[in-house]
Amino acid sequence: ILIIILCLKIKLSQRKKMAQNPNAIKTLIHQWSKELGFDGFGVAGIEIQKDEKHLQSWLDRKFHGSMNYMEKHGLKRSRPDVLLPGTIRVISLKMHYFSREKDQALALLKKNEVGYIANYAVSNDYHQIIKERLKVIIAKIKDYSELQGQNYFVDSAPVLERALARNAGLGWIGKNTNLIHNSSGSWFFLAEIFTDIPLPIDRSSINHCGTCSACIDICPTQAFTMPYQLDARKCISYLTIENKKSIAVELRPAIGNRIFGCDDCQIICPFNKFAKKIEISDLLPKEELLSQPLEQLFLWSEKEWDDTTQSTALARAGYDGWLRNIAVALGNARTTERIVDALRSRNNQQSQMVNEHIYWALEQHQKKSNQ
């Protein structure tokens, strides 16, 4: 027992010494993050007032649409120490999920008879995968910190993650509002750890977008009102995921075969020629979600949909949202007997919202037949 007590005292003494050396702790955290599969690490302070003003301006213009959670948390989103009192530093981490080459993605978008699902959503849900790894890091950090409570986040709290990651040196916020790194592109997830340890702060990233406007020019629905400003109400990712109501008729043709999310502004970004491929096996694409015929996906029963999507980000759209999105894509597809039969088979059998999109899709094929 005495030996155990002595070992504990020695260990505690070592930790106290380490706590007085933030540089050493930062080196350890970086090492732990790499061992757990994170391929980007940086530390930022908590001052992001300019980004707070940008957020408020965006909200004032109602560009957030029905995403009321974007405004209900007040200053917590832009002030980490309000969200978690005692926070003085934010550790930003990134994990790559790139799996679809540019030519492959563009070719898939032209095959209007198959469903296009955003790159990040064709694998297991990243939230849980990353959280499990963050828990390991947090457990280690708490040996050197007194901060209590939930202090790690993966889209699970009101956090301006891109602004903090930019300040931590993980990339700049591009004209498409995504975070971009000059040597690894933008296909990555972000996560944050809030801490009270005065870790050395990294240098903020420099913007390298220059005069390039490829992301703005390619947007199918012209959702960018200007560089660095996205009207979510026109964004296909918002329309097919966050939006729970009908999709505006005038926007439906531009959606094409995108049934969950949109990657266009990342596909075209020149910095993504440096994108890193997936290294975490749990984030590899699921075959049953790749290049599947639209009518086949449309005919999934609710149980089939639930069984296939429950461990993926696709669950966020809900079954009605899934059918609504595919009905739009079917309406945009080349007219075939299989597609028309699939639409008719669900006609008047779904919710009013889904039925509305089925009627629209059938009307599109009727117009094509009459031409």
Side-chain angles (χ1 to χ4, degrees):
I1 294 176
L2 289 174
I3 295 175
I4 294 175
I5 293 174
L6 180 61
C7 289
L8 289 173
K9 285 183 177 180
I10 293 173
K11 191 173 183 180
L12 181 60
S13 176
Q14 291 173 336
R15 288 174 181 169
K16 285 182 177 179
K17 288 181 180 179
M18 185 71 78
Q20 296 172 5
N21 187 349
N23 280 293
I25 299 174
K26 182 179 177 180
T27 299
L28 277 175
I29 298 172
H30 192 187
Q31 178 185 323
W32 298 332
S33 71
K34 287 194 292 185
E35 291 170 353
L36 290 165
F38 292 100
D39 38 34
F41 168 91
V43 177
I46 60 173
E47 304 298 324
I48 47 174
Q49 277 83 5
K50 288 184 179 180
D51 299 278
E52 180 176 281
K53 291 180 181 179
H54 182 81
L55 170 64
Q56 192 55 55
S57 174
W58 185 75
L59 292 170
D60 290 343
R61 288 179 170 85
K62 306 299 181 184
F63 285 171
H64 59 298
S66 62
M67 295 184 290
N68 297 323
Y69 59 84
M70 291 296 297
E71 57 182 339
K72 74 175 183 179
H73 295 289
L75 299 176
K76 288 183 178 180
R77 188 172 295 277
S78 54
R79 301 189 183 183
D81 57 334
V82 175
L83 177 61
L84 189 63
T87 299
I88 62 172
R89 296 287 187 271
V90 176
I91 300 166
S92 285
L93 303 153
K94 64 186 177 79
M95 182 178 289
H96 288 86
Y97 64 86
F98 178 62
S99 64
R100 190 184 284 150
E101 297 289 351
K102 178 181 177 180
D103 291 345
Q104 181 185 5
L106 292 175
L108 183 58
L109 286 169
K110 291 179 180 179
K111 293 181 178 179
N112 64 15
E113 74 278 6
V114 302
Y116 185 96
I117 297 173
N119 210 339
Y120 82 90
V122 292
S123 64
N124 290 317
D125 192 350
Y126 67 94
H127 295 88
Q128 197 58 38
I129 293 169
I130 295 178
K131 279 183 179 180
E132 290 303 315
R133 288 164 168 78
L134 292 177
K135 287 179 183 178
V136 176
I137 298 176
I138 284 292
K140 294 176 180 291
I141 292 176
K142 283 187 174 179
D143 286 341
Y144 308 97
S145 172
E146 296 180 356
L147 190 64
Q148 300 298 315
Q150 184 188 13
N151 48 3
Y152 59 92
F153 309 105
V154 190
D155 291 344
S156 56
V159 179
L160 284 183
E161 60 177 8
R162 282 169 288 185
L164 291 165
R166 175 203 61 214
N167 289 357
L170 297 190
W172 72 91
I173 299 175
K175 292 179 182 178
N176 61 0
T177 74
N178 286 315
L179 199 74
I180 306 170
H181 191 274
N182 62 343
S183 63
S184 60
S186 64
W187 300 103
F188 51 79
F189 301 119
L190 290 172
E192 301 78 43
I193 296 175
F194 287 20
T195 182
D196 58 349
I197 304 174
L199 301 171
I201 294 174
D202 287 290
R203 183 178 297 177
S204 179
S205 297
I206 298 173
N207 191 313
H208 293 284
C209 281
T211 59
C212 179
S213 62
C215 58
I216 296 172
D217 299 337
I218 201 173
C219 180
T221 55
Q222 295 299 292
F224 296 103
T225 61
M226 60 189 300
Y228 312 105
Q229 191 73 263
L230 174 72
D231 185 347
R233 297 168 300 180
K234 292 183 178 180
C235 176
I236 294 176
S237 287
Y238 166 81
L239 292 170
T240 58
I241 304 173
E242 300 294 338
N243 170 46
K244 305 304 177 186
K245 299 180 180 179
S246 296
I247 296 173
V249 173
E250 64 272 18
L251 295 176
R252 294 175 192 177
I255 289 175
N257 64 338
R258 302 167 185 82
I259 61 174
F260 189 94
C262 180
D263 288 332
D264 289 42
C265 66
Q266 293 196 82
I267 293 170
I268 203 66
C269 178
F271 286 97
N272 274 324
K273 65 184 177 183
F274 305 118
K276 293 183 178 180
K277 287 292 185 68
I278 293 170
E279 295 181 359
I280 303 297
S281 59
D282 287 342
L283 291 175
L284 290 172
K286 293 176 175 287
E287 288 298 324
E288 62 269 29
L289 297 177
L290 297 175
S291 304
Q292 295 296 324
L294 286 168
E295 68 271 17
Q296 180 176 314
L297 298 173
F298 191 62
L299 295 176
W300 277 356
S301 67
E302 188 163 4
K303 184 178 185 307
E304 286 176 305
W305 176 83
D306 188 59
D307 288 344
T308 306
T309 66
Q310 61 181 340
S311 63
T312 74
L314 295 176
R316 189 170 181 83
Y319 186 56
D320 270 8
W322 175 256
L323 293 178
R324 174 202 62 193
N325 298 343
I326 300 178
V328 171
L330 286 168
N332 292 327
R334 181 173 59 87
T335 302
T336 67
E337 186 176 342
R338 291 197 312 276
I339 284 177
V340 173
D341 286 347
L343 285 165
R344 286 174 176 166
S345 72
R346 286 195 176 276
N347 204 7
N348 295 318
Q349 295 182 14
Q350 306 305 315
S351 68
Q352 182 176 348
M353 180 191 71
V354 175
N355 282 334
E356 174 198 335
H357 292 77
I358 292 175
Y359 299 155
W360 176 85
L362 287 170
E363 286 177 358
Q364 303 315 300
H365 289 292
Q366 183 61 48
K367 290 176 182 178
K368 293 171 189 176
S369 299
N370 292 336
Q371 290 176 352

